[in-house]
């Protein structure tokens, strides 16, 4: 291109005469001459838009066409160019941008009151056009009833979009690890029964990462059931981590690791007694310094059970009043870590999601498997009714089917379990089912943690009411400090 954007003249090509036409009767646009008049108009149009030489001043032989005519005056200012020039942005000129109040707004619409009132719902949802929005907002400044209605609608729209937590989805970590392990399997894998503990301790550690002094000393109330009565203990966020440190120490000692209590002697080797001993031995209330030993101990536990292999799962972990196999003890520690993480999140007013569906199923399965033993212990303590005489209410030999309750847990971590009612060694049987209880997975876990009363648990119940009550109270008795 040359000059002010016109096409460059074809003055070096053969077969052209000085009037800008080919010998075959076509002009430089390749269009056939329709008549002498049309050809002349096309010639003049070509001269105006294309330019006649590389200097933009005349025809191929100089200023003029070589026949005594006047030089081309240039493009007609009233005629737009055949190819428009690129539009320059005001930001490229270096000049200041015009003020916002000087920019033209959408044209105002003259709408009736009833039409503007009917647009309030769409306005609250931001579904109006720019013109309608301007008309509605101008109307709201002069009409009180419509302004009140618009405010109520805008507040209702806010309820349709609840605030979402900024935390990552709890299942994201599991999905990322699964993808990594599929590409390169680990040389020493973490046992399946230790994976929930690994995940829940990592989630709690991420929650604690950005806590300041105020959060570490925020009050927390630990809740559980003792017998048939709820009880609680007041502490702080740092005190909760100290509690997890000392109770996880039971598993550490069973694996041959160091006891976090050190030389401190507890009255009894129970979780509550160990925790109280640790709190008493501290010269000052626990602070953020307790996070480092707790975190190191969780990593040591996961590494140790991974190196020992699957055979370590049969190792027993004493809890003072009872014992659990190592694989169940690790699930128990994962369950308590999640429950107390929710206590901490509630204390600092922070959202906290339940475990992933697969991990939640493992925790529910542990509680369901422990229910028969707890139910028998409550019956021995006089807290549960003995089985009355009858054809279907009797103690059965170990391994035989007996009277059962169907426990249905709903949600991603759910399933169904048949709970033997009259003997912990009996086998649950669908043929001897006398009751059916349905609970949400999270609700059942909070019941087992002592955070929900058995009488307030939102459960669907069908069948023997006495059996249902005994199982719900046995689930609450699983809780402890």
């Amino acid at each position: 291109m040359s000059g002010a954007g016109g096409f460059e003249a074809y003055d070096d090509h053969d077969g052209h005469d000085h009037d800008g036409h080919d010998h075959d009767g076509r002009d430089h646009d390749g269009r056939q001459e329709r008549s002498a008049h049309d050809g002349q108009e096309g010639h003049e149009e070509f001269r105006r838009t294309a330019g006649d030489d590389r200097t933009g001043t005349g025809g191929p032989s100089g200023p003029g066409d070589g026949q005594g005519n006047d030089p081309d005056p240039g493009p007609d200012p009233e005629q737009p160019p055949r190819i428009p020039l690129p539009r320059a942005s005001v930001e490229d000129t270096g000049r200041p941008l015009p003020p916002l109040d000087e920019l033209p707004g959408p044209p105002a619409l003259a709408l009736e009151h009833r039409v503007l009132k009917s647009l309030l719902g769409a306005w609250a949802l931001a579904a109006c056009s720019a013109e309608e929005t301007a008309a509605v907002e101008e109307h709201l400044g002069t009409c009180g009833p419509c302004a009140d209605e618009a405010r109520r609608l805008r507040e209702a729209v806010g309820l349709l979009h609840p605030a979402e937590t900024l935390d990552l989805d709890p299942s994201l970590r599991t999905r990322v690890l699964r993808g990594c392990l599929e590409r390169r399997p680990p040389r020493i894998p973490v046992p399946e029964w230790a994976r929930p503990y690994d995940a829940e301790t990592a989630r709690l550690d991420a929650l604690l990462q950005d806590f300041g002094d105020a959060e570490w000393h925020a009050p927390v109330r630990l809740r559980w059931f003792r017998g048939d009565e709820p009880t609680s203990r007041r502490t702080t966020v740092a005190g909760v981590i100290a509690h997890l440190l000392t109770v996880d120490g039971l598993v550490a000692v069973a694996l041959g690791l160091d006891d976090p209590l050190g030389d401190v002697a507890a009255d009894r080797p129970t979780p509550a007694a160990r925790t109280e001993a640790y709190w008493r031995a501290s010269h000052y209330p626990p602070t953020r310094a307790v996070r480092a030993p707790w975190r190191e101990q969780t990593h040591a536990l996961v590494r140790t059970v991974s190196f020992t292999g699957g055979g370590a799962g049969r190792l027993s972990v004493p809890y003072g009043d009872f014992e659990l196999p190592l694989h169940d003890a690790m699930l128990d520690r994962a369950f308590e870590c999640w429950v107390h993480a929710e206590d901490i999140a509630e204390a600092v007013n922070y959202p906290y999601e339940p475990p992933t569906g697969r991990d939640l199923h493992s925790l529910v399965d542990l509680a369901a498997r422990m229910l028969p033993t707890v139910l028998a212990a409550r019956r021995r303590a006089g807290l549960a009714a003995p089985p009355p005489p009858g054809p279907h209410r009797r103690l059965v030999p170990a391994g035989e089917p007996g009277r059962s309750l169907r426990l249905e847990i709903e949600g991603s971590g759910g399933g169904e379990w048949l709970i033997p009612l009259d003997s912990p060694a009996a086998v649950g049987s669908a043929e001897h089912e006398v009751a059916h209880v349905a609970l949400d997975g999270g609700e059942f876990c909070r019941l087992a943690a002592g955070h929900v009363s058995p009488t307030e648990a939102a459960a669907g119940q069908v069948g023997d009411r006495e059996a249902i009550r005994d199982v719900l109270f046995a689930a609450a008795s699983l809780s402890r400090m």
Side-chain angles (χ1 to χ4, degrees):
M1 298 180 69
S2 64
F7 285 102
E8 190 172 4
Y10 293 90
D11 54 349
D12 295 331
H13 291 199
D14 295 335
H16 295 78
D17 56 16
H18 291 289
D19 60 359
H21 289 74
D22 295 336
H23 291 296
D24 60 356
R26 296 181 180 271
D27 60 12
H28 287 291
D29 280 342
R31 292 177 295 184
Q32 185 75 32
E33 285 194 33
R34 293 183 295 276
S35 65
H37 177 69
D38 293 340
Q40 182 65 25
E41 288 182 350
H43 173 68
E44 295 297 326
E45 176 69 16
F46 174 78
R47 289 171 59 83
R48 285 195 300 269
T49 58
D52 288 334
D53 64 356
R54 292 182 175 85
T55 61
T57 59
S61 60
D65 57 2
Q67 299 180 1
N69 296 331
D70 294 334
D72 188 1
D76 188 353
E78 298 181 358
Q79 183 71 22
R82 179 167 298 180
I83 297 181
L85 299 177
R87 299 176 62 183
S89 172
V90 68
E91 298 178 355
D92 298 333
T93 63
R95 295 186 297 232
L97 297 176
L100 292 178
D101 53 2
E102 296 182 5
L103 296 178
L109 297 178
L111 302 177
E112 299 179 2
H113 177 272
R114 61 180 182 83
V115 177
L116 292 168
K117 186 175 181 180
S118 67
L119 289 174
L120 292 180
W123 173 84
L125 293 170
C128 290
S129 65
E131 296 80 4
E132 293 171 341
T133 300
V136 169
E137 292 178 351
E138 182 179 358
H139 176 68
L140 295 181
T142 59
C143 182
C146 286
D148 293 339
E149 180 68 15
R151 177 180 56 80
R152 288 192 293 267
L153 289 173
R154 184 58 67 85
E155 292 175 354
V157 169
L159 298 176
L160 299 177
H161 303 279
E164 297 181 357
T165 175
L166 297 179
D167 288 340
L168 297 176
D169 184 357
S171 63
L172 177 61
R173 181 178 186 271
T174 302
R175 296 199 304 269
V176 171
L177 289 177
R178 185 184 302 118
C180 295
L181 296 178
E182 287 176 354
R183 296 188 63 125
R184 191 178 72 175
R187 185 169 57 90
I188 302 176
V190 176
E192 187 70 16
W193 40 267
R195 190 174 42 79
Y197 178 80
D198 183 29
E200 293 310 308
T201 53
R203 288 210 300 149
L204 176 54
D205 186 53
L207 175 65
L208 301 173
Q209 182 175 0
D210 297 326
F211 275 16
D213 291 338
E215 287 83 5
W216 279 102
H217 295 291
V220 179
R221 185 167 293 278
L222 303 179
R223 295 168 291 167
W224 69 97
F225 263 72
R226 180 178 294 164
D228 287 345
E229 298 295 330
T231 186
S232 63
R233 179 70 158 81
R234 183 183 176 89
T235 183
T236 63
V237 170
V240 174
I241 301 303
H243 166 61
L244 292 175
L245 172 68
T246 55
V247 183
D248 286 356
L250 292 170
V251 183
V253 172
L255 290 172
L257 302 176
D258 293 337
D259 189 346
L261 283 180
D263 297 333
V264 177
D267 299 336
R268 299 180 58 206
T270 61
R274 287 173 59 88
T275 301
E276 295 288 353
Y278 187 93
W279 286 343
R280 287 194 306 266
S282 300
H283 298 289
Y284 301 98
T287 63
R288 65 166 68 239
V290 76
R291 179 194 172 204
W294 168 78
R295 187 170 184 265
E296 292 174 1
Q297 181 176 256
T298 61
H299 292 175
L301 289 176
V302 174
R303 283 197 305 267
T304 304
V305 298
S306 300
F307 278 109
T308 54
R314 294 187 294 270
L315 182 69
S316 294
V317 178
Y319 278 72
D321 297 331
F322 60 93
E323 290 185 356
L324 287 177
L326 178 60
H327 56 81
D328 284 348
M330 293 295 289
L331 292 174
D332 171 75
R333 302 316 306 143
F335 180 86
E336 188 166 359
C337 182
W338 163 47
V339 170
H340 289 322
E342 283 196 337
D343 292 336
I344 293 172
E346 182 181 354
V348 298
N349 195 25
Y350 199 83
Y352 202 80
E353 297 294 329
T356 60
R358 186 168 63 167
D359 291 350
L360 186 61
H361 179 82
S362 299
L363 304 183
V364 171
D365 179 71
L366 171 66
R369 289 188 285 109
M370 294 178 67
L371 280 176
T373 302
V374 175
L375 185 58
R378 286 178 55 84
R379 186 173 290 119
R380 289 193 299 268
L383 299 176
H392 299 290
R393 301 190 178 192
R394 59 183 178 83
L395 294 177
V396 297
E400 295 292 328
R403 195 168 61 107
S404 305
L405 177 142
R406 183 180 297 274
L407 176 63
E408 179 182 356
I409 303 300
E410 302 171 344
S412 59
E416 290 189 356
W417 289 263
L418 288 170
I419 311 300
L421 297 173
D422 300 331
S423 175
V427 177
S429 171
E431 297 178 356
H432 297 82
E433 180 181 328
V434 298
H436 186 178
V437 175
L439 277 165
D440 176 72
E443 184 83 357
F444 175 75
C445 289
R446 291 179 179 88
L447 173 65
H451 288 195
V452 177
S453 170
T455 58
E456 298 175 355
Q461 307 175 6
V462 176
D464 191 330
R465 297 294 177 182
E466 188 177 72
I468 293 173
R469 179 188 180 280
D470 288 344
V471 169
L472 292 179
F473 272 86
S477 298
L478 291 169
S479 63
R480 60 179 181 274
M481 185 178 77

